[in-house]
Amino acid sequence: MRIIHILNHTRRLNGNVHAAIDLACAQVKLGHDVLVVSGGGDFDRLLAGNKVAVERIDQERKPLTVLKALPAFRRLVKTWKPDIVHAHMMTSAVLAFPVCRLSGIPLITTVHNAFEKSAVLMGLGNRVVAVSEAVGQSMRERGIAARKLHVVLNGTIGSARFDGRSRTPAQMHRPNILFVGGLHPRKGLPDLLEAFRLTRQAGIITHLYIAGGGPFETEYRRLAEETGHVDAITFIGAIDEPFSYMMGADIFVLPSHADPAPLVLSEAREAGCAVIGADVDGIPQLLGYGEAGMLTPPRDPQALASLLIELLSDPRLLEVWKSRSQLNLGNLTIERVARETFDVYKSAMPFRARPTAAPA
């Protein structure tokens, strides 16, 4: 099958970019011909190294830029002759829709961030992929026809982005707690800082590591100082590869207020952390609805502190939850994502043109 993925850019800024890059590389491994069309970015070299073709078309969200991109994308589609076009961002979907309609090529869209108001534009696709059951439900409530919607849960294990990465644990104080995410309110870091304060106040000796950058870093550093335990809090900063910290972590915490299907959870589970996640959006599904990780109410530092105290007070229980993170881990592979996505593609194609099976 010949597949075009279209997205605004390939920079290391968004989880949806990571998911699209992972999928494109996995599809090549399964024998498909794949082209990524974007404004370019950090991952172009990785794509080329994994035999994914790359073309640049500026898709900045400006009317004039999109108007210029339309004929360029139309020419590319006529030349490359894809079986499927797959859009991963709202601007890309709007750009691809008329071209696919005129060309008679099925358009697939993936909703990565259902909390964005403009996510409803992803309904332009002949098929709409939701990255978790929660995202699928959200899109149905917003008027996307159920017949269009398919849930393909995010997964990262086996991603080409991780080829050759070190599995040596980072040097960290033990026992410890790790947060990886953007430093902005949606990720709920202030809740974790307060829960950490309560945990230390209960007499539990532990250290908190915070990996990530963002516009609220200065404010969150101030909140860390206000806990009275800033000497036990380390801001690692923004890093491209946090896996070594996950390998060295005891407890991974994601206290998000909204999170459609965070890729970081499959990485934390692969690393063997005990995992605590907020009971919101796609997080429960990624944690096996509580089987592979502990769930806590969002925006509730006291409840989160209670779980931290429970785990850190009982080394045997901590080991149990580290082991449970490995339950059904195969469901979080990028190969499973690629094969399920192939089934979505097939369902969107005219019956006479459908391939009989995914390549081996």
Side-chain angles (χ1 to χ4, degrees), residues 277-341:
D279 190 1
V280 66
D281 295 341
I283 291 176
Q285 189 177 4
L286 285 166
L287 295 181
Y289 297 101
E291 292 295 318
M294 306 177 87
L295 295 171
T296 184
R299 305 175 187 267
D300 191 340
Q302 183 65 63
L304 176 55
S306 295
L307 292 181
L308 291 172
I309 292 168
E310 183 180 0
L311 287 175
L312 293 168
S313 299
D314 187 344
R316 288 176 299 180
L317 182 62
L318 179 59
E319 291 304 315
V320 165
W321 279 100
K322 287 184 178 182
S323 296
R324 290 183 69 165
S325 71
Q326 305 303 291
L327 292 174
N328 200 23
L329 203 57
N331 192 47
L332 298 180
T333 65
I334 189 59
E335 181 180 346
R336 188 269 307 161
V337 173
R339 291 189 180 278
E340 291 185 8
T341 302

Coordinates of all heavy atoms in Angstrom, one line a residue, residues 277-341:
G277 N -1.3 7.1 37.6 CA -1.9 8.1 36.6 C -3.2 8.6 37.0 O -4.0 8.0 37.7
A278 N -3.5 9.8 36.6 CA -4.8 10.4 36.9 C -5.9 9.7 36.1 O -5.7 9.2 35.0 CB -4.8 11.9 36.5
D279 N -7.0 9.5 36.8 CA -8.1 8.8 36.2 C -8.9 9.7 35.3 O -10.0 10.1 35.6 CB -9.0 8.2 37.3 CG -10.1 7.2 36.8 OD1 -10.1 7.0 35.6 OD2 -10.9 6.8 37.7
V280 N -8.3 10.0 34.1 CA -8.9 10.9 33.2 C -8.5 10.6 31.7 O -7.4 10.0 31.5 CB -8.4 12.4 33.5 CG1 -6.9 12.5 33.3 CG2 -9.1 13.4 32.7
D281 N -9.5 10.8 30.8 CA -9.2 10.6 29.4 C -8.7 9.2 29.1 O -9.2 8.2 29.6 CB -8.4 11.7 28.8 CG -9.0 13.0 28.9 OD1 -10.3 13.1 29.0 OD2 -8.3 14.1 28.8
G282 N -7.6 9.1 28.3 CA -7.1 7.8 27.9 C -6.1 7.2 28.9 O -5.6 6.0 28.6
I283 N -5.8 7.8 30.0 CA -4.8 7.2 30.9 C -5.3 5.9 31.5 O -4.5 4.9 31.6 CB -4.5 8.3 32.1 CG1 -3.7 9.4 31.5 CG2 -3.7 7.6 33.2 CD1 -3.4 10.6 32.4
P284 N -6.6 5.8 32.0 CA -7.0 4.5 32.5 C -6.8 3.3 31.5 O -6.3 2.2 31.9 CB -8.5 4.7 32.8 CG -8.6 6.1 33.1 CD -7.6 6.8 32.1
Q285 N -7.1 3.5 30.2 CA -7.0 2.5 29.2 C -5.5 2.1 29.0 O -5.2 0.9 28.9 CB -7.6 2.9 27.9 CG -7.6 1.8 26.8 CD -8.3 2.3 25.6 OE1 -8.7 3.4 25.4 NE2 -8.5 1.3 24.6
L286 N -4.6 3.1 29.1 CA -3.2 2.8 28.9 C -2.6 2.0 30.1 O -1.6 1.4 30.1 CB -2.4 4.1 28.7 CG -2.5 4.6 27.3 CD1 -2.0 6.1 27.3 CD2 -1.8 3.8 26.3
L287 N -3.3 2.1 31.3 CA -2.9 1.4 32.5 C -3.8 0.2 32.7 O -3.9 -0.3 33.9 CB -3.0 2.4 33.7 CG -2.0 3.5 33.6 CD1 -2.1 4.4 34.9 CD2 -0.5 3.0 33.4
G288 N -4.4 -0.3 31.7 CA -5.3 -1.5 31.9 C -6.4 -1.3 32.8 O -6.8 -2.2 33.5
Y289 N -6.9 -0.1 32.9 CA -8.0 0.3 33.8 C -7.7 -0.1 35.2 O -8.6 -0.6 36.0 CB -9.3 -0.4 33.3 CG -9.7 0.1 31.9 CD1 -9.5 -0.6 30.8 CD2 -10.3 1.4 31.8 CE1 -9.9 -0.2 29.5 CE2 -10.7 1.9 30.5 CZ -10.4 1.1 29.4 OH -10.8 1.6 28.2
G290 N -6.5 0.1 35.6 CA -6.1 -0.1 37.0 C -5.3 -1.4 37.2 O -4.8 -1.7 38.3
E291 N -5.2 -2.3 36.2 CA -4.5 -3.6 36.4 C -3.0 -3.4 36.3 O -2.3 -4.1 37.0 CB -5.0 -4.5 35.3 CG -6.4 -5.0 35.5 CD -6.6 -5.8 36.7 OE1 -5.8 -6.7 37.1 OE2 -7.7 -5.6 37.4
A292 N -2.5 -2.5 35.5 CA -1.1 -2.3 35.2 C -0.5 -1.0 35.9 O 0.7 -0.8 35.8 CB -0.8 -2.3 33.7
G293 N -1.4 -0.2 36.5 CA -1.0 1.0 37.1 C -2.1 1.5 38.0 O -3.2 1.2 37.8
M294 N -1.7 2.3 39.0 CA -2.7 2.8 40.0 C -3.3 4.1 39.4 O -2.6 4.9 38.8 CB -2.0 3.1 41.3 CG -1.2 1.9 41.9 SD -0.4 2.2 43.4 CE -1.7 1.9 44.6
L295 N -4.6 4.2 39.7 CA -5.3 5.4 39.2 C -5.7 6.3 40.4 O -6.1 5.8 41.5 CB -6.6 4.9 38.5 CG -6.3 4.2 37.2 CD1 -7.6 3.6 36.6 CD2 -5.6 5.1 36.1
T296 N -5.6 7.6 40.2 CA -6.0 8.5 41.3 C -6.9 9.6 40.7 O -6.7 9.9 39.5 CB -4.7 9.1 41.9 OG1 -5.0 10.0 42.9 CG2 -3.9 9.9 40.8
P297 N -7.8 10.2 41.4 CA -8.6 11.2 40.9 C -7.8 12.4 40.5 O -6.8 12.8 41.2 CB -9.5 11.6 42.1 CG -9.5 10.4 43.0 CD -8.2 9.8 42.8
P298 N -8.1 13.1 39.4 CA -7.3 14.3 39.0 C -7.6 15.4 39.9 O -8.6 15.4 40.6 CB -7.9 14.6 37.6 CG -9.3 14.0 37.6 CD -9.2 12.7 38.4
R299 N -6.7 16.3 40.0 CA -6.8 17.5 40.9 C -7.0 17.2 42.4 O -7.6 17.9 43.1 CB -7.9 18.4 40.4 CG -7.8 18.8 38.9 CD -9.1 19.5 38.5 NE -9.1 19.8 37.0 CZ -8.6 20.9 36.4 NH1 -8.1 21.8 37.2 NH2 -8.7 21.0 35.1
D300 N -6.4 16.0 42.8 CA -6.6 15.6 44.2 C -5.3 15.2 44.8 O -4.9 14.1 44.9 CB -7.6 14.4 44.3 CG -8.1 14.1 45.7 OD1 -7.4 14.5 46.6 OD2 -9.1 13.5 45.8
P301 N -4.5 16.2 45.2 CA -3.1 15.9 45.8 C -3.2 15.0 47.0 O -2.3 14.2 47.2 CB -2.6 17.3 46.2 CG -3.4 18.3 45.3 CD -4.7 17.7 45.2
Q302 N -4.2 15.1 47.8 CA -4.3 14.2 49.0 C -4.4 12.8 48.6 O -3.8 11.9 49.2 CB -5.5 14.7 49.9 CG -5.6 13.9 51.2 CD -4.5 14.1 52.1 OE1 -4.3 15.2 52.6 NE2 -3.7 13.1 52.4
A303 N -5.3 12.5 47.6 CA -5.4 11.1 47.2 C -4.1 10.6 46.6 O -3.7 9.4 46.8 CB -6.6 11.0 46.2
L304 N -3.5 11.4 45.8 CA -2.2 11.1 45.2 C -1.2 10.8 46.3 O -0.4 9.8 46.2 CB -1.7 12.2 44.2 CG -0.4 12.0 43.6 CD1 -0.2 10.6 42.9 CD2 -0.1 13.1 42.6
A305 N -1.1 11.7 47.3 CA -0.2 11.5 48.4 C -0.4 10.2 49.1 O 0.5 9.5 49.5 CB -0.3 12.6 49.4
S306 N -1.7 9.8 49.3 CA -2.0 8.5 50.0 C -1.4 7.3 49.2 O -0.9 6.4 49.8 CB -3.5 8.4 50.1 OG -4.0 9.4 50.9
L307 N -1.5 7.4 47.9 CA -0.9 6.3 47.1 C 0.6 6.3 47.2 O 1.2 5.2 47.3 CB -1.4 6.4 45.6 CG -2.8 6.2 45.3 CD1 -3.1 6.3 43.8 CD2 -3.3 4.8 45.8
L308 N 1.2 7.4 47.1 CA 2.7 7.5 47.2 C 3.1 7.0 48.6 O 4.1 6.2 48.7 CB 3.1 9.0 47.0 CG 3.0 9.5 45.6 CD1 3.3 11.0 45.6 CD2 3.9 8.8 44.6
I309 N 2.4 7.4 49.6 CA 2.8 6.9 51.0 C 2.6 5.4 51.1 O 3.5 4.7 51.7 CB 2.0 7.6 52.0 CG1 2.4 9.1 52.1 CG2 2.1 7.0 53.4 CD1 1.4 10.0 52.9
E310 N 1.6 4.9 50.5 CA 1.3 3.4 50.5 C 2.4 2.7 49.8 O 2.9 1.7 50.4 CB 0.0 3.2 49.8 CG -0.5 1.7 49.9 CD -1.8 1.5 49.2 OE1 -2.4 2.4 48.7 OE2 -2.2 0.3 49.1
L311 N 2.8 3.1 48.7 CA 3.9 2.4 47.9 C 5.2 2.6 48.6 O 6.0 1.6 48.7 CB 4.0 2.9 46.5 CG 2.8 2.6 45.6 CD1 3.0 3.3 44.2 CD2 2.8 1.0 45.3
L312 N 5.6 3.8 49.0 CA 6.9 4.0 49.6 C 7.1 3.5 51.0 O 8.2 3.3 51.5 CB 7.2 5.5 49.5 CG 7.3 6.1 48.1 CD1 7.3 7.6 48.2 CD2 8.6 5.6 47.4
S313 N 6.0 3.2 51.7 CA 6.0 2.6 53.0 C 6.2 1.1 53.0 O 6.5 0.5 54.0 CB 4.8 2.9 53.8 OG 4.6 4.3 54.0
D314 N 6.0 0.5 51.8 CA 6.0 -1.0 51.7 C 6.8 -1.4 50.5 O 6.2 -1.5 49.4 CB 4.5 -1.5 51.6 CG 4.4 -3.0 51.7 OD1 5.5 -3.7 51.5 OD2 3.3 -3.5 51.9
P315 N 8.1 -1.7 50.6 CA 8.9 -2.1 49.5 C 8.3 -3.3 48.7 O 8.5 -3.4 47.5 CB 10.3 -2.5 50.1 CG 10.3 -1.7 51.4 CD 8.9 -1.7 51.9
R316 N 7.7 -4.2 49.4 CA 7.1 -5.4 48.7 C 6.0 -5.0 47.8 O 5.8 -5.4 46.7 CB 6.7 -6.5 49.7 CG 7.8 -7.2 50.4 CD 7.3 -8.1 51.4 NE 6.5 -7.4 52.5 CZ 6.0 -8.0 53.5 NH1 6.1 -9.4 53.7 NH2 5.4 -7.3 54.5
L317 N 5.1 -4.1 48.3 CA 4.0 -3.6 47.5 C 4.5 -2.8 46.3 O 4.0 -2.9 45.1 CB 3.1 -2.7 48.3 CG 1.9 -2.1 47.6 CD1 1.0 -3.3 47.1 CD2 1.1 -1.2 48.5
L318 N 5.6 -2.0 46.5 CA 6.2 -1.3 45.4 C 6.7 -2.2 44.3 O 6.5 -2.0 43.1 CB 7.4 -0.4 45.9 CG 8.1 0.4 44.9 CD1 7.2 1.4 44.2 CD2 9.3 1.1 45.5
E319 N 7.3 -3.3 44.7 CA 7.8 -4.3 43.7 C 6.6 -5.0 43.0 O 6.7 -5.3 41.8 CB 8.6 -5.4 44.4 CG 10.0 -4.9 44.8 CD 10.8 -4.2 43.7 OE1 10.8 -4.8 42.6 OE2 11.4 -3.2 43.9
V320 N 5.5 -5.2 43.7 CA 4.3 -5.8 43.1 C 3.8 -4.9 41.9 O 3.5 -5.4 40.8 CB 3.2 -6.0 44.1 CG1 1.8 -6.2 43.4 CG2 3.5 -7.2 45.0
W321 N 3.8 -3.6 42.2 CA 3.3 -2.7 41.1 C 4.3 -2.5 40.0 O 3.9 -2.2 38.9 CB 2.8 -1.3 41.8 CG 1.4 -1.5 42.4 CD1 1.1 -1.7 43.7 CD2 0.2 -1.5 41.6 NE1 -0.2 -1.8 43.8 CE2 -0.8 -1.7 42.6 CE3 -0.1 -1.4 40.3 CZ2 -2.2 -1.8 42.2 CZ3 -1.5 -1.4 39.9 CH2 -2.5 -1.6 40.9
K322 N 5.6 -2.6 40.3 CA 6.5 -2.6 39.2 C 6.3 -3.8 38.3 O 6.3 -3.7 37.1 CB 8.0 -2.6 39.8 CG 8.4 -1.3 40.4 CD 9.9 -1.4 40.9 CE 10.3 -0.1 41.4 NZ 11.8 -0.1 41.8
S323 N 6.0 -5.0 38.9 CA 5.8 -6.2 38.1 C 4.5 -6.0 37.3 O 4.4 -6.4 36.1 CB 5.7 -7.4 39.0 OG 6.9 -7.6 39.6
R324 N 3.5 -5.4 37.9 CA 2.2 -5.3 37.3 C 2.2 -4.3 36.1 O 1.4 -4.4 35.1 CB 1.1 -4.8 38.3 CG 0.8 -5.9 39.3 CD -0.3 -5.5 40.2 NE -1.6 -5.4 39.6 CZ -2.8 -5.3 40.2 NH1 -2.8 -5.4 41.5 NH2 -3.9 -5.2 39.6
S325 N 3.2 -3.5 36.0 CA 3.4 -2.6 34.9 C 3.7 -3.4 33.6 O 3.5 -2.9 32.5 CB 4.5 -1.6 35.1 OG 5.8 -2.2 35.1
Q326 N 4.1 -4.6 33.7 CA 4.5 -5.4 32.6 C 3.3 -6.2 32.0 O 3.4 -6.9 31.0 CB 5.6 -6.4 33.0 CG 6.8 -5.7 33.5 CD 7.4 -4.7 32.6 OE1 7.9 -5.0 31.5 NE2 7.3 -3.4 32.9
L327 N 2.1 -6.2 32.7 CA 1.0 -6.9 32.2 C 0.5 -6.5 30.9 O 0.3 -5.3 30.6 CB -0.2 -6.8 33.2 CG 0.0 -7.4 34.6 CD1 -1.2 -7.0 35.5 CD2 0.1 -8.9 34.5
N328 N 0.4 -7.5 30.0 CA -0.2 -7.2 28.6 C 0.6 -6.1 27.9 O 0.0 -5.3 27.2 CB -1.7 -6.8 28.7 CG -2.4 -7.0 27.3 OD1 -1.9 -7.8 26.5 ND2 -3.5 -6.4 27.1
L329 N 1.9 -6.1 28.1 CA 2.7 -5.0 27.6 C 2.7 -5.0 26.0 O 2.9 -4.0 25.4 CB 4.2 -5.1 28.1 CG 5.0 -3.9 28.1 CD1 4.4 -2.8 28.9 CD2 6.4 -4.2 28.7
G330 N 2.5 -6.2 25.4 CA 2.5 -6.3 24.0 C 1.4 -5.5 23.3 O 1.5 -5.2 22.1
N331 N 0.4 -5.1 24.1 CA -0.7 -4.3 23.5 C -0.2 -2.9 23.3 O -0.9 -2.1 22.7 CB -1.9 -4.3 24.5 CG -3.1 -3.7 23.9 OD1 -3.5 -4.0 22.7 ND2 -3.8 -2.8 24.6
L332 N 1.0 -2.5 23.8 CA 1.5 -1.1 23.6 C 2.6 -1.0 22.6 O 3.4 -0.1 22.6 CB 2.0 -0.6 25.0 CG 0.9 -0.5 26.0 CD1 1.5 0.0 27.3 CD2 -0.3 0.3 25.6
T333 N 2.7 -2.0 21.7 CA 3.7 -2.0 20.6 C 3.3 -1.1 19.4 O 2.1 -1.0 19.1 CB 4.1 -3.4 20.1 OG1 3.0 -3.9 19.5 CG2 4.5 -4.3 21.3
I334 N 4.2 -0.5 18.8 CA 3.9 0.3 17.6 C 3.5 -0.7 16.4 O 2.8 -0.3 15.5 CB 5.1 1.2 17.2 CG1 4.7 2.1 16.0 CG2 6.3 0.4 16.8 CD1 3.6 3.0 16.3
E335 N 4.0 -1.9 16.4 CA 3.6 -2.9 15.4 C 2.1 -3.1 15.5 O 1.4 -3.2 14.5 CB 4.3 -4.2 15.5 CG 3.9 -5.1 14.4 CD 4.7 -6.5 14.4 OE1 5.7 -6.6 15.2 OE2 4.2 -7.4 13.7
R336 N 1.5 -3.3 16.7 CA 0.1 -3.5 16.9 C -0.6 -2.2 16.4 O -1.7 -2.4 15.7 CB -0.2 -3.7 18.3 CG -1.7 -4.1 18.7 CD -2.5 -2.9 19.0 NE -2.0 -2.1 20.0 CZ -2.3 -0.9 20.2 NH1 -3.3 -0.3 19.5 NH2 -1.8 -0.1 21.2
V337 N -0.1 -1.0 16.7 CA -0.8 0.2 16.2 C -0.8 0.2 14.6 O -1.8 0.5 14.0 CB 0.0 1.4 16.7 CG1 -0.5 2.7 16.0 CG2 -0.1 1.5 18.2
A338 N 0.3 -0.2 14.0 CA 0.4 -0.2 12.5 C -0.6 -1.2 11.9 O -1.2 -0.9 10.9 CB 1.8 -0.5 12.1
R339 N -0.7 -2.3 12.5 CA -1.6 -3.3 11.9 C -3.1 -2.9 12.1 O -3.9 -3.1 11.2 CB -1.3 -4.7 12.6 CG 0.0 -5.3 12.2 CD 0.2 -6.7 12.6 NE 1.5 -7.2 12.2 CZ 1.8 -7.7 11.0 NH1 0.9 -7.7 10.1 NH2 3.0 -8.2 10.7
E340 N -3.4 -2.4 13.2 CA -4.8 -1.9 13.4 C -5.1 -0.7 12.5 O -6.2 -0.6 12.0 CB -5.0 -1.6 14.9 CG -5.0 -2.8 15.8 CD -5.4 -2.5 17.3 OE1 -5.8 -1.3 17.5 OE2 -5.2 -3.4 18.1
T341 N -4.1 0.1 12.3 CA -4.3 1.2 11.4 C -4.5 0.8 10.0 O -5.3 1.3 9.2 CB -3.1 2.2 11.5 OG1 -3.0 2.7 12.8 CG2 -3.4 3.4 10.6

